[in-house]
């Protein structure tokens, strides 16, 4: 078996059946593009557990569903250098099933490809977590995406955590009153025991992130929620600008900025995000991306050797 791990070339031919995987923390989304096109979703990736066995299970499940991919492209949250080699993943079972090529990258790369292809600019994705990825003429930069314990500023988890904090401050009398306390009380009748219940819940990250929607829903008439949404948008704008500055695209005439993910369904966050960026980059081309990370995962196999993105992609060939 040959491998070009972390130094890929073209990994598939037109017409090859492709399995695209977007392995996020809230859900793993899958698309099979072969003799027919199918999409489905399952529980999110557990970044506190080894990633390769989970990804091998996703591929095996696709075969159990009747799919026969020869090429697999995967964008995965929480991917570190220790697990970024696609070779062990291919050898762990997919090769025996008939997979000839696996291309693996952090989901910030696939989010970027799905929104901007290989054009220069920055893509910021904000769902349960948040990460910005910028591409310049000769450099790339990843901003944040450091998980809920150390980063993910402006993400769903970040917003949800701020909402819970604000609710408990209101409960204690340490902070202003907010409707967030009533919303938390609806989920936890004994709010003083809520932290115990959350600590014991293996799905606590997704559960906390779910409060982001409540924040956005009441932000127009609740000052505390509005402040949280505004600060979240400011964090996301800062990450996007920092990415452009790191790759020297902030000086471009109209730097491309794309925003993707569930957090940008909030009109308030979009407005505040755009305002924060236009104060720094008046001519910026800012759009809420309608591309899907699965598009980026499918594109992974076709990223060329000469692309500035090539060093961030691992490919294994049977």
């Amino acid at each position: 078996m040959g491998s070009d791990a972390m130094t890929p070339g073209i990994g598939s031919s037109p017409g090859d059946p492709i399995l695209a995987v977007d392995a996020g923390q809230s859900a793993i989304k899958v698309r099979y593009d072969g003799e027919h096109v199918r999409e489905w979703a399952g529980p999110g990736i557990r970044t506190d557990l080894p990633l390769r066995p989970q990804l091998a299970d996703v591929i095996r499940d696709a075969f159990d569903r009747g799919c026969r991919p020869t090429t697999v492209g995967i964008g995965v949250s929480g991917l570190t250098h220790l697990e970024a080699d696609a070779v062990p993943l291919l050898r762990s079972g997919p090769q025996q099933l008939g997979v000839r090529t696996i291309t693996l990258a952090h989901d910030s790369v696939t989010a970027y490809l799905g929104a901007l292809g290989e054009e220069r600019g920055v893509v910021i994705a904000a769902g349960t977590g948040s990460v910005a990825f910028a591409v310049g003429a000769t450099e790339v930069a990843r901003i944040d995406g450091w998980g809920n314990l150390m980063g993910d500023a402006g993400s769903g988890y970040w917003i949800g955590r701020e909402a819970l904090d604000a609710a408990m401050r209101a409960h204690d009398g340490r902070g202003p009153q907010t409707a967030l306390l009533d919303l938390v009380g609806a989920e936890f009748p004994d709010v003083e025991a809520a932290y115990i219940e959350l600590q014991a819940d293996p799905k606590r990250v997704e559960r906390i992130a779910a409060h982001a929607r409540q924040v956005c829903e009441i932000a127009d008439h609740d000052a505390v929620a509005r402040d949280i949404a505004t600060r979240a948008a400011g964090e996301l704008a800062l990450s996007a600008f920092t990415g452009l500055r790191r790759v020297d695209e902030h000086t471009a005439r109209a730097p491309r900025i794309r925003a993707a993910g569930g957090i940008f369904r909030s009109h308030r966050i979009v407005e505040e995000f755009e305002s924060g960026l236009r104060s720094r980059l008046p001519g910026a081309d800012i759009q809420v991306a309608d591309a899907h990370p699965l598009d980026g995962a499918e594109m992974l196999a076709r990223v060329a050797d000469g692309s500035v993105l090539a060093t961030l992609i691992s490919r294994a060939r049977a």
Side-chain angles (χ1 to χ4, degrees):
M1 182 187 72
S3 170
D4 291 329
M6 302 308 290
T7 313
I10 301 301
S12 67
S13 302
D16 282 353
I18 295 178
L19 189 73
V21 180
D22 173 36
Q25 296 178 58
S26 294
I28 298 176
K29 300 176 183 177
V30 186
R31 176 194 296 157
Y32 175 66
D33 188 352
E35 64 276 9
H36 53 275
V37 177
R38 297 172 58 188
E39 291 192 10
W40 64 90
I45 198 81
R46 288 282 303 275
T47 57
D48 58 329
L49 297 174
L51 298 178
R52 291 191 194 110
Q54 298 178 71
L55 298 174
D57 285 345
V58 172
I59 297 171
R60 190 176 301 108
D61 175 66
F63 277 85
D64 290 342
R65 293 171 182 265
C67 304
R68 296 296 180 265
T70 57
T71 298
V72 179
I74 306 174
V76 57
S77 178
L79 187 67
T80 66
H81 289 296
L82 293 175
E83 294 195 275
D85 186 352
V87 174
L89 176 57
L90 180 64
R91 290 175 173 170
S92 68
Q95 181 177 347
Q96 289 71 29
L97 293 172
V99 175
R100 296 199 305 266
T101 303
I102 291 182
T103 312
L104 181 64
H106 190 271
D107 63 350
S108 60
V109 177
T110 48
Y112 189 95
L113 286 169
L116 276 176
E118 294 188 64
E119 296 182 346
R120 300 180 195 177
V122 65
V123 173
I124 181 155
T128 300
S130 66
V131 62
F133 192 80
V135 175
T138 60
E139 294 182 288
V140 297
R142 171 182 161 187
I143 309 299
D144 208 348
W146 307 128
N148 62 81
L149 295 180
M150 297 176 63
D152 287 357
S155 68
Y157 180 91
W158 187 95
I159 294 171
R161 171 66 178 78
E162 290 292 305
L164 293 173
D165 179 81
M168 298 315 296
R169 287 177 179 273
H171 173 75
D172 291 344
R174 292 178 292 135
Q177 289 302 303
T178 170
L180 291 170
L181 178 56
D182 295 330
L183 293 172
V184 172
E187 181 178 358
F188 304 99
D190 181 0
V191 295
E192 294 187 2
Y195 75 102
I196 299 295
E197 183 175 337
L198 284 171
Q199 286 174 357
D201 189 344
K203 295 185 177 181
R204 57 186 172 274
V205 172
E206 299 97 312
R207 193 171 176 184
I208 291 171
H211 288 274
R213 178 177 296 180
Q214 296 175 337
V215 170
C216 295
E217 286 175 349
I218 70 171
D220 286 340
H221 57 266
D222 185 280
V224 174
R226 183 162 58 249
D227 176 66
I228 293 171
T230 297
R231 288 189 288 116
E235 293 285 358
L236 297 172
L238 176 60
S239 290
F241 175 77
T242 302
L244 290 172
R245 179 177 54 77
R246 287 266 305 273
V247 300
D248 203 27
E249 283 294 305
H250 64 300
T251 59
R253 183 175 180 180
R256 299 179 186 88
I257 301 169
R258 300 292 182 266
I263 294 304
F264 290 102
R265 295 192 187 105
S266 164
H267 71 89
R268 176 170 293 278
I269 285 183
V270 170
E271 290 171 1
E272 297 279 1
F273 173 78
E274 291 184 349
S275 176
L277 283 167
R278 293 203 185 282
S279 67
R280 300 176 173 99
L281 303 166
D285 171 13
I286 305 172
Q287 297 179 31
V288 175
D290 57 3
H292 198 291
L294 283 172
D295 296 335
E298 195 165 332
M299 290 174 66
L300 275 178
R302 301 189 178 96
V303 173
D305 283 333
S307 170
V308 69
L309 293 169
T311 57
L312 299 175
I313 297 170
S314 172
R315 179 171 293 119
R317 296 181 179 88

